Amino acid sequence: MTGRSDGKTWGVIRDALSARFPFRGDIYRWFAASMTMYAVCVILLIGAISYASVDLLIRKNLRLSMESSARAQAVRLSASLDSLQESLSHLSSNSLLINAIIDTSGNRSYIDSFVKSYRPPAHDSIRLTLCDFQGNPITSNLRPPIPYKTPELLRQTVEKGLPFSTVLLREGVDNGVWLLLAYPVVWNMTGRAEGFLVSEVPVEEMIDAKLISIGNNDTGFRIKSGRRVLFSRNFVGGPGPLLFDIPLPTTAPMKALGLSMQIEDHRRIS
C-alpha cells in the first residue's frame, strides 16, 4: 500500500510540475540543438583552418619547387652563354685570323675553310665574319658576306680594343632576333686591333638547345634584354600566373645586354 501511495504521490507531483512548467521539453530540445550546432561549428572551423594550412603549404612548396627549377635553368643558360663567349674569345686570338688580316698577298684560302667550318657546340646556325679595321669582310660563312661598319662597333673593337655586343632584329629569311658579338683581333707586334671577328647567334636556337622543357602547357618562358623581349614561348603575362624574374649573370661583352629570363607557372591548385 505504501508503494502505491508513493507512486501516486510522485505522479501527482510530476503532473503538477508539467502543468506549472509546460515548456520544459522545448528547453531540452533547444539545448540539444544548440550543442549540436556548436559542435558542427567547431568541426567546420577546424576543417577550414586545416584546409587553409594545407593549401598554403602546398602553394609554398610548389613555389619553392618552381623557383628552384627556374634558377637552375637560369644557371644552365648563363653557363651556356659564357661558354659561347669564351669560345669566340679564344677564336679571335687565334694566329690564323691576324695572319689573314695582315696578309697582303691576297692568298687567304686557308682561313676560309677554317671560319666556315667553325661551329661552337649547340650553335649550328652561328654566323662568323672576319673583318678588317674598317669593317670590310675578309672571310665569312655568309653568302654573300656583309660589312659591319657601325660607328659604335668600330669604336669599341678597333679603337678601344674591347669586345662588343648588341641585339639585332632580322627579317625575311633570317627572321628572328640575333645576338651580335664582336671581338678585336690584336696583332702582337703592335698591340693594336687590326680587325675584329663578328658572330651572330640566333636567340631561338640558343634557347631551344638548353631549355627544351620550358614553354610547355604548364609553364611560360621569355628572355629579355632590359625591357626588350627577345624570345617568348607560351607566356601570358599580367596578373594571375606565378611569375619568376631571374637575371642572367654573364661576362662581358654580353653583360652589357642586361639579359634576364622570366618563367611563369600556369598550373592551378584545386
Side-chain angles (χ1 to χ4, degrees), residues 118-265:
Y118 180 80
R119 290 292 185 276
H123 296 286
D124 295 335
S125 300
I126 191 173
R127 298 173 168 181
L128 290 176
T129 303
L130 179 64
C131 299
D132 62 16
F133 69 97
Q134 293 180 323
N136 298 310
I138 296 174
T139 183
S140 175
N141 59 7
L142 287 174
R143 285 291 177 266
I146 59 176
Y148 294 89
K149 297 186 177 183
T150 57
E152 186 179 3
L153 189 155
L154 294 175
R155 182 168 53 253
Q156 184 79 355
T157 56
V158 178
E159 295 181 14
K160 297 182 179 180
L162 298 174
F164 173 80
S165 65
T166 189
V167 176
L168 299 177
L169 179 61
R170 300 293 193 190
E171 297 180 353
V173 178
D174 303 327
N175 183 45
V177 180
W178 297 66
L179 296 181
L180 184 147
L181 304 173
Y183 291 84
V185 179
V186 180
W187 190 18
N188 294 332
M189 297 292 292
T190 62
R192 295 177 58 87
E194 300 296 333
F196 53 91
L197 176 68
V198 179
S199 63
E200 294 185 19
V201 184
V203 173
E204 184 173 358
E205 180 184 81
M206 177 184 63
I207 299 301
D208 286 341
K210 294 299 176 183
L211 301 174
I212 300 176
S213 62
I214 291 296
N216 51 32
N217 293 330
D218 292 333
T219 58
F221 171 82
R222 70 180 178 184
I223 185 170
K224 301 174 64 178
S225 173
R227 296 184 177 180
R228 182 179 182 181
V229 177
L230 305 183
F231 177 82
S232 180
R233 178 177 295 164
N234 203 29
F235 196 89
V236 178
L242 190 62
L243 177 64
F244 301 95
D245 194 342
I246 304 173
L248 295 174
T250 55
T251 58
M254 206 175 289
K255 183 178 180 180
L257 299 179
L259 298 177
S260 64
M261 59 180 288
Q262 292 181 320
I263 295 180
E264 62 180 9
D265 186 12

